[in-house]
Amino acid sequence: MYFQVITSLQKDRERCIVDLRPASHNLSEMRESLLSVVAVGVFDHTIAAFWQYVMLLEALLKIREDLLPKSKNNFPLQERIRAIEEEFSLDESVVSGDFTSRLKTAIDLVVSTLANARSDRDVRSQITNLLFERPIPRLREAILSFADYFSEIVILIDDLDKGWPPLQVESHDVATIRHLIEVLNKIQRDLSRRGLGFRHLVFLRSDIYERLVEQTSDRGKYNVIKVDWSDPEQLRHLLWERIVSTLDKSHHEDAWAAINPEIAPGVTAIDKLIESSLRRPRFLIDVMERTLSFAINRGHGFVTTDDVNEGARQMSLYLVSDFAYEMRDLAGTPEDIFYAFIGAPAQLSHEELESILARNSLGLEIAEVVELLLWYGFLGVLDDQKRPIFIYDRAYDFRRLEAERGPVGPSVQYSINPAFLLGLTKA
């Protein structure tokens, strides 16, 4: 979706698209340095100044990048570009780097400034002198000086929350996102008043957004586009669009029927594959490709029940062996955590669950691991009718799922997600 947005926006040649996707970065060093020496008000002041400087610099760098090809036969434009390169020291090390490296440089600048501060007032004064008094106004004016070449600037940001562990995000991390959004709104107001259009779009995980709303007094202030993949119909439509996109309309239904046979009364192949994907689009496309591969390699002209079952089985084995790496990287659980459940029953009491987990070196409290297994959809809770409820059935509202689980005790019953069960069966 992120790249589709970029592709669509780039159709307008007078639009400057600032695409920011840090491959890896860590704001924790700056946050910890701030929290150790300053009060909350100064923390807010510093983060706001930091984001305003970074966003304006990235916009100016993108403007420079877009105008360089146009300047080859335009000497006045070359001089204008050279002037901003000299004013802001945009040497080769800056312009050839990526957002991640420039973000780290900006963080290092703020951290080194904080190291020399003696008090909250000193921090505020130094940050104001460092960013507000000169660079930020100059960056804004430099951007406006190129308004004759662009109708608007669009900033797109993704992956800022990549690597943040679920259920463990701290309030100051969320405050950092909140200040970024507020700064983008401020830049929009400042530039729009001077006749230059400005828009922005920040992609966030749903749990980060919920925490953001919790910390915001005016909860209706954000213009939100919510993409909820917990709805099976949306996932079914996703596959439909991918399948028919290159076909003549007269072949749409035949193509769909070829890959989506009924495999049981009232159950189609797509129904089963959706439930084998943890309702994640990437996993759904993966299990669909596995199923089609089996059908093709077996010489079938259409997908059969056996193809679907084998695709689901292979996907289950993949989830058991590889999905735990995502949990390990983000939450610190062992990479072989799912192997502990090989041969376990599909439904578990709380005591049985604790017994399984206690046999393994987790590095985390058992209660914390149980919450993570619920969050990632490996475990669900049984409702009053003994039906399993997983996190995606509640639109990733973990508080709702916890409320349905109720107090932890002998009566709590868990269910292993069917998407994992085939991969956990003993041979």
Side-chain angles (χ1 to χ4, degrees), residues 76-88:
L77 180 57
Q78 290 180 26
E79 289 299 301
R80 291 169 65 180
I81 294 174
R82 186 176 296 111
I84 67 161
E85 289 175 342
E86 293 176 355
E87 182 178 2
F88 298 103

Side-chain angles (χ1 to χ4, degrees), residues 128 161 170 210 291 303 307 314 384-385 392:
T128 298
D161 51 14
E170 298 184 20
E210 293 300 330
T291 301
V303 170
D307 299 328
Q314 290 293 327
D384 294 338
Q385 283 76 44
Y392 47 72

Side-chain angles (χ1 to χ4, degrees), residues 43-57:
F43 173 90
D44 294 342
H45 173 82
T46 304
I47 293 296
F50 166 80
W51 278 131
Q52 194 166 356
Y53 170 78
V54 169
M55 291 298 108
L56 289 172
L57 177 61

Side-chain angles (χ1 to χ4, degrees), residues 216-273:
T216 305
S217 55
D218 181 5
R219 300 196 173 191
K221 69 186 296 184
Y222 300 119
N223 184 14
V224 180
I225 304 169
K226 191 168 184 178
V227 181
D228 179 12
W229 291 111
S230 60
D231 177 16
E233 285 301 318
Q234 282 185 275
L235 293 167
R236 189 175 287 105
H237 183 67
L238 168 73
L239 286 183
W240 166 272
E241 289 293 331
R242 289 178 68 92
I243 288 166
V244 305
S245 61
T246 59
L247 298 175
D248 184 87
K249 191 173 182 178
S250 62
H251 298 306
H252 286 186
E253 292 297 336
D254 290 339
W256 184 249
I259 62 99
N260 190 33
E262 186 175 68
I263 60 175
V267 179
T268 67
I270 299 301
D271 294 332
K272 179 162 184 172
L273 297 181

Side-chain angles (χ1 to χ4, degrees), residues 271-279 287 308-309 311-320 344-347 373 376-382 386-393 414-425:
D271 294 332
K272 179 162 184 172
L273 297 181
I274 287 174
E275 294 310 311
S276 299
S277 69
L278 301 182
R279 301 203 190 163
V287 70
V308 174
N309 290 336
R313 189 181 75 85
Q314 290 293 327
M315 188 67 195
S316 186
L317 290 168
Y318 166 80
L319 291 176
V320 171
Q347 296 182 357
L373 292 174
Y376 280 99
F378 177 80
L379 290 179
V381 296
L382 297 182
K386 300 299 180 182
R387 295 173 302 190
I389 305 297
F390 297 99
I391 186 72
Y392 47 72
D393 293 317
Y414 299 94
S415 176
I416 297 177
N417 197 308
F420 289 87
L421 284 177
L422 288 173
L424 295 172
T425 302

